[in-house]
Amino acid sequence: MTYAPFPYARPRRLRRTAALRAMVSEATLTPADFIWPVFVMAGKDAEEPVSSMPGVVRRTVDRIGAAAREAHALGIPAMCIFPYTDPTLKTEDCAEAWNPDNLSNRAIREIKNACPEIAVMTDIALDPYNINGHDGYVEDGEIVNDRTVEALVKMGLAQAEAGADILGPSDMMDGRIGALREALEDEGHSDIAILSYAAKYASAFYGPFRDAVGASGALTGDKKTYQIDPANGNEAMAMIARDLSEGADMIMVKPGMPYLDICRRAKDDFGVPTFAYQVSGEYAMQQAAALNGWIDGDKVMLESLIGFKRAGCDGVLTYFAPAAARLLANG
Ligand code: PBG
């Protein structure tokens, strides 16, 4: 954008009224930009608050269909399921991860029954089922890669069988996208999309999520041997290139707001469907400030979300999805 010299150019001319501002607005935000992450738990007809994420609840599987219909009515196209797994089901071999009747797989079927229009996305990583809270198997204190990939493939196939539309590998093991894509082709699931968490950073912003899925207590150490160093941008581009070459259909940058430069670079370099995950810590910070009256929560919510669109994202996973969709509907 170039302007004539002042006073011929007065950029404020186009900011003068709401109508003029609307005419020249660059990015747009609609409910179709949102993927809504939801937490499911065992039990019947119940929900409980996640204390570190005010406004977010865990729901029993039988209540997830109603949530899906609500999302659809609001114009939200997709939901992503995360399970709160009973600690007694967490084991060293993580077998619950590919149980066809685990919480996630039951929730997938429930959503597809209640509201087939909603696209169901899953998370693939062993952490909800792992006795030590890691995304991969731990042997002698090391997170091992290849054996983990075999387990992740079993987990992804079980989700595909349950009816998932989009698989979301969030584990950051090497070679998992190719292995998963090959297994999906072999098992008759060639239509299922993979949204790879290609640029997933070793972030402290995941703290409240680990509470929400009950993984905080279990986790020993950190995830720095598999998630990306927050200092690195070129490495994230290389991870995206690799995952695309192995058969990913879409890619994700995670967390969101501290990594908007990565979103922009990803979109400019690859031009593929690009998503950001506005993670639990980002949500918690905004909600905490809003609940204290320190910021206008609604305005900051929408500003934070349009930022992702301006940065080149096609959409955003956000716990704000229903609240933001409601705000957008009410103008
Ligand atoms: C699991 C996973 C995590 C998140 C999504 N999938 C946590 C982690 O990697 O420790 C975090 C999401 C959030 O913070 O909202 N691998």
Side-chain angles (χ1 to χ4, degrees):
M1 216 170 189
T2 36
Y3 288 112
F6 179 82
Y8 307 106
R10 288 183 183 270
R12 289 185 55 195
R13 285 181 202 125
L14 298 184
R15 299 185 201 128
R16 190 169 56 86
T17 69
L20 290 165
R21 289 191 295 273
M23 284 175 68
V24 298
S25 163
E26 297 178 39
T28 52
L29 184 68
T30 78
D33 295 319
F34 304 144
I35 300 174
W36 182 23
V38 291
F39 299 109
V40 290
M41 63 177 188
K44 275 205 169 68
D45 198 21
E47 57 186 52
E48 62 188 28
V50 177
S51 56
S52 51
M53 300 176 72
V56 170
V57 297
R58 305 181 190 102
R59 296 173 170 77
T60 50
V61 172
D62 54 5
R63 285 204 180 185
I64 209 76
R69 284 192 295 268
E70 180 194 343
H72 182 58
L74 288 166
I76 297 167
M79 291 163 78
C80 184
I81 299 168
F82 293 99
Y84 177 87
T85 305
D86 188 292
T88 61
L89 293 172
K90 298 186 188 207
T91 57
E92 205 119 4
D93 70 357
C94 307
E96 182 65 7
W98 52 90
N99 174 357
D101 288 315
N102 70 20
L103 278 175
S104 292
N105 293 332
R106 281 164 45 210
I108 294 168
R109 289 194 292 268
E110 187 76 21
I111 295 176
K112 291 315 278 188
N113 277 333
C115 190
E117 297 91 341
I118 288 278
V120 179
M121 175 176 167
T122 65
D123 187 82
I124 303 181
L126 297 181
D127 55 336
Y129 312 100
N130 205 344
I131 198 141
N132 48 57
H134 275 288
D135 294 15
Y137 286 130
V138 183
E139 288 174 16
D140 302 325
E142 305 268 329
I143 288 84
V144 295
N145 195 88
D146 300 8
R147 196 160 76 84
T148 298
V149 171
E150 288 171 26
L152 296 171
V153 167
K154 285 195 268 183
M155 183 177 181
L157 284 177
Q159 295 170 347
E161 293 293 337
D165 299 287
I166 305 164
L167 304 184
S170 72
D171 53 283
M172 289 300 282
M173 296 298 122
D174 291 325
R176 88 268 205 228
I177 301 297
L180 193 58
R181 177 52 77 207
E182 199 175 303
L184 289 170
E185 286 293 323
D186 289 349
E187 301 297 322
H189 296 297
S190 51
D191 287 342
I192 294 187
I194 298 177
L195 200 180
S196 171
Y197 289 67
K200 178 167 176 180
Y201 285 88
S203 173
F205 285 93
Y206 308 145
F209 172 95
R210 292 177 189 165
D211 291 341
V213 298
S216 323
L219 184 63
T220 45
D222 57 48
K223 300 192 176 184
K224 291 181 184 168
T225 70
Y226 45 107
Q227 299 176 346
I228 303 175
D229 180 342
N232 297 354
N234 295 330
E235 185 185 356
M237 295 309 112
M239 292 299 93
I240 292 168
R242 182 199 58 182
D243 286 2
L244 290 171
S245 76
E246 291 183 16
D249 303 280
M250 307 180 264
I251 58 101
M252 174 116 71
V253 175
K254 176 180 177 190
M257 284 168 69
Y259 299 88
L260 288 179
D261 59 320
I262 304 298
C263 298
R264 168 49 64 197
R265 284 181 67 180
K267 192 65 186 181
D268 287 350
D269 284 10
F270 301 102
V272 298
T274 300
F275 292 81
Y277 197 146
Q278 184 179 49
V279 300
S280 57
E282 301 175 61
Y283 174 88
M285 288 194 306
Q286 290 188 34
Q287 289 292 75
L291 290 169
N292 274 294
W294 296 334
I295 58 173
D296 180 326
D298 287 352
K299 289 191 174 129
V300 169
M301 180 198 312
L302 293 182
E303 185 178 333
S304 70
L305 292 168
I306 197 107
F308 292 109
K309 296 297 299 294
R310 194 193 59 243
C313 293
D314 297 280
V316 42
L317 272 94
T318 176
Y319 301 98
F320 287 123
R326 250 176 240 115
L327 275 178
L328 291 170
N330 298 331

